[in-house]
Amino acid sequence: MTSRRCLLSALALAIVGPALAAAEDPTDKLTRESTLIVIATPTAVRFVKDKEVIAGAKALDPKDPRVYRVLTETTFSVISVVKGDLAVRSLQLTHYSYDSASPIMVAPQLINFTAGSGTRYLMFLRSNDGIHYVVAGDEMNPANFIFQLRNE
């Protein structure tokens, strides 16, 4: 019975192994699709459009279960450039942020920043003009491309 299990395991590995080896690392794809990867801290936050309801999203507030988003421009001070133009010292990120007070149950992965907090973020971005940036992927889920770093 043990030799049969070993044979089945070896066969499964022979069939599935090449597919696993060929699978692309998501970090490699994210790095390739980014024109700028930086560590930066937010210095200013400005809402540029009125809030709107996110269809299909739900908040835990029984009085108003809707979840709102607002188009936001956040300015960052660049601490370090990992990939891209080494001369970049500040940048402007256009993204959606939440405008809902209650805890959110189901919604896209938006992100809110606090200007002047000193919080550092690793950000995978793309730009057409070298000044204004968006996340290097699905703009409705920016939290998948921006990672808060721990202060140590």
Side-chain angles (χ1 to χ4, degrees), residues 18-65:
L20 291 174
E24 183 177 25
D25 180 347
T27 307
D28 290 342
K29 181 179 181 197
L30 194 53
T31 300
R32 188 177 61 254
E33 293 176 356
S34 301
T35 58
L36 184 70
I37 302 172
V38 296
I39 296 173
T41 185
T43 57
V45 177
R46 182 174 73 94
F47 301 124
V48 295
K49 194 174 177 185
D50 289 338
K51 70 181 180 181
E52 56 189 39
V53 174
I54 303 173
K58 292 188 169 99
L60 295 176
D61 183 355
K63 294 178 186 172
D64 187 6

